[in-house]
């Protein structure tokens, strides 16, 4: 019987199950609104747990049920530490990669995303993310600014634990996006990157400036890499594939993290922008090396970690 269930059908089933779960969680969220006047902290915590349980279910499907083989390298991240986090963006699977570390460091409940508005329209998953309160960024800066300021004020006011995550490239890496980005790099005399797009630094700089001197003291720079048994480097499973059967040994996943203190970053906006670009230059070189030898040449070693 199981063999006749096609992959899209299975993804559809998982999708609707997750969406139903999400909608149920949403009921809890709506109920928690009554808590807000009593305790904003408790309201925050309830909503964090609700969102966290959604991420946890998704992560368990990928890592435990479908046995995704994820390796890690770079800096050891402390537990329970708030941070601004960014990573390269190739696929929807990048969310799972952020979560692989967040789950192991007690931060899965505290993910906050800036995501592109169009993600909202992915059937089930996008809707779920929308319900989960992902901050979708439109092109309307004023509207976005209001939403962002409200969120940040709340985080600062409650000294709430957070990972504020974004993909600074603005969109997923595709051949056409890369070609356009490279044209831009050449035109501006910027370094030519071939494994990532040129990052947009404005939003990140605003973020750093907002949290300087607060309880959010760190920036984590993530690099995600994917490997497919026959298609090779840079090929992640798609959303359907994540939900249809064992991922190992067909796919390999790698997460590299660098940790920086905000107080050590340049205070000048221009210099901070250059710093971000420099991180993407390093990311590009790192990925270029991984393209050659996967995790073999990584300095400081590679490890796996139970979750
Ligand atoms: C992290 O937070 C959890 C839950 O609040 C707590 O139980 C745990 O002891 C904390 N761990 C560290 C290392 O602070």
């Amino acid at each position: 019987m199981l063999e006749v269930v096609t992959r899209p059908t299975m993804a559809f089933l998982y999708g609707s199950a997750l969406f139903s779960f999400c909608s149920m969680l949403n009921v809890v969220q709506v109920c928690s609104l009554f808590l807000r006047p009593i305790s904003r902290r408790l309201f925050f915590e309830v909503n964090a747990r609700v969102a966290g349980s959604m991420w946890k279910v998704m992560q368990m499907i990928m890592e435990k049920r479908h046995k995704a083989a994820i390796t890690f390298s770079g800096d050891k991240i402390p537990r329970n530490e708030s941070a601004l986090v960014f990573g390269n963006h190739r696929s929807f699977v990048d969310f799972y990669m952020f979560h692989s570390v967040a789950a192991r460091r007690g931060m899965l409940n505290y993910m906050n995303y800036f995501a592109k508005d169009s993600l909202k329209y992915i059937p089930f998953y996008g809707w779920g993310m929308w319900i989960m309160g992902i901050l979708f960024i439109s092109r309307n800066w004023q509207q976005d600014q209001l939403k962002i300021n409200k969120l940040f004020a709340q985080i600062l006011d409650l000294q709430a634990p957070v990972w504020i995550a974004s993909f600074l490239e603005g969109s997923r890496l595709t051949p056409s996006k890369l070609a356009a980005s490279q044209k831009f790099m050449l035109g501006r005399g910027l370094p030519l990157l071939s494994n990532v797009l040129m990052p947009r630094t404005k939003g990140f700089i605003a973020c750093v400036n907002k949290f300087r001197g607060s309880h959010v003291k760190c920036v984590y720079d993530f690099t995600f890499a994917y490997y497919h048994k026959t298609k090779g480097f840079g090929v992640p499973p798609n959303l359907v594939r994540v939900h249809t059967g064992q991922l190992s040994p067909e796919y390999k996943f790698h997460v590299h993290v660098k940790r920086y203190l905000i107080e050590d970053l340049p205070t000048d906006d221009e210099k901070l922008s250059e710093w971000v670009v420099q991180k993407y230059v390093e990311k590009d070189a790192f990925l270029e090396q991984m393209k050659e030898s996967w995790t073999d040449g990584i300095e400081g070693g590679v490890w796996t970690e139970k979750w």
Side-chain angles (χ1 to χ4, degrees):
M1 178 64 203
L2 211 63
E3 294 90 87
V4 300
V5 179
T6 60
R7 287 195 161 172
T9 317
M10 230 165 123
F12 179 81
L13 289 176
Y14 266 119
S16 19
L18 278 173
F19 182 68
S20 318
F21 180 58
C22 216
S23 312
M24 256 160 46
L25 293 179
N26 190 231
V27 174
V28 179
Q29 280 180 319
V30 170
C31 294
S32 75
L33 281 171
F34 294 107
L35 283 174
R36 192 150 64 174
I38 304 163
S39 163
R40 300 215 359 230
R41 179 83 212 183
L42 193 59
F43 173 74
F44 170 84
E45 198 53 46
V46 168
N47 278 281
R49 298 248 172 126
V50 167
S53 59
M54 175 69 185
W55 298 141
K56 190 169 171 187
V57 169
M58 283 173 66
Q59 201 66 17
M60 282 172 72
I61 292 172
M62 189 205 204
E63 287 199 47
K64 298 216 198 284
R65 188 170 169 76
H66 293 153
K67 309 252 180 321
I70 311 176
T71 48
F72 302 93
S73 64
D75 295 334
K76 291 263 159 65
I77 301 296
R79 284 190 70 82
N80 300 351
E81 184 177 69
S82 290
L84 308 177
V85 313
F86 61 84
N88 56 312
H89 197 18
R90 183 168 276 275
S91 143
F92 191 81
V93 179
D94 299 331
F95 286 98
Y96 291 86
M97 298 294 100
F98 274 137
H99 295 166
S100 68
V101 178
R104 287 162 172 83
R105 292 295 175 270
M107 294 303 285
L108 199 52
N109 289 355
Y110 305 111
M111 297 303 300
N112 280 266
Y113 280 104
F114 287 126
K116 206 174 41 164
D117 221 22
S118 60
L119 273 182
K120 193 155 72 180
Y121 305 109
I122 300 177
F124 307 116
Y125 301 95
W127 306 338
M129 289 164 68
W130 188 49
I131 290 178
M132 279 358 290
I134 297 245
L135 209 69
F136 286 106
I137 300 299
S138 59
R139 274 163 202 260
N140 184 337
W141 177 244
Q142 278 198 333
Q143 215 177 14
D144 290 344
Q145 191 87 20
L146 276 178
K147 280 197 281 187
I148 294 169
N149 283 342
K150 207 171 132 204
L151 175 73
F152 284 4
Q154 187 198 342
I155 291 168
L156 288 169
D157 186 35
L158 294 174
Q159 305 238 330
V162 278
W163 274 17
I164 298 171
S166 54
F167 297 108
L168 304 187
E169 289 157 277
S171 59
R172 282 180 301 164
L173 182 85
T174 59
S176 64
K177 288 265 164 56
L178 181 62
S181 188
Q182 285 183 331
K183 206 169 145 193
F184 174 82
M185 296 171 206
L186 283 172
R188 294 284 180 95
L190 291 163
L192 192 68
L193 309 174
S194 53
N195 298 287
V196 291
L197 307 175
M198 189 48 69
R200 297 165 191 205
T201 59
K202 190 174 153 191
F204 179 75
I205 291 169
C207 242
V208 170
N209 288 336
K210 193 87 188 178
F211 286 101
R212 221 181 263 284
S214 78
H215 69 292
V216 183
K217 296 189 177 1
C218 293
V219 168
Y220 300 160
D221 169 11
F222 281 79
T223 306
F224 309 127
Y226 305 100
Y227 190 89
H228 182 264
K229 193 172 63 176
T230 55
K231 294 178 198 138
F233 182 79
V235 181
N238 62 27
L239 196 49
V240 171
R241 183 60 189 84
V242 167
H243 293 86
T244 47
Q246 300 289 296
L247 292 161
S248 206
E250 189 180 347
Y251 289 96
K252 286 194 259 186
F253 304 84
H254 186 75
V255 181
H256 182 73
V257 198
K258 298 293 289 174
R259 174 178 178 270
Y260 302 94
L261 291 174
I262 290 183
E263 63 180 31
D264 293 340
L265 301 189
T267 48
D268 175 73
D269 284 1
E270 192 108 349
K271 292 247 161 54
L272 185 53
S273 176
E274 284 166 19
W275 181 86
V276 177
V277 171
Q278 181 55 31
K279 293 303 125 193
Y280 275 75
V281 170
E282 288 165 18
K283 221 182 264 310
D284 188 55
F286 187 86
L287 289 166
E288 193 62 36
Q289 190 204 314
M290 286 200 79
K291 201 189 272 178
E292 298 299 317
S293 55
W294 188 235
T295 57
D296 284 349
I298 295 177
E299 246 176 84
V302 172
W303 64 87
T304 58
E305 201 179 316
K306 266 213 148 43
W307 169 46

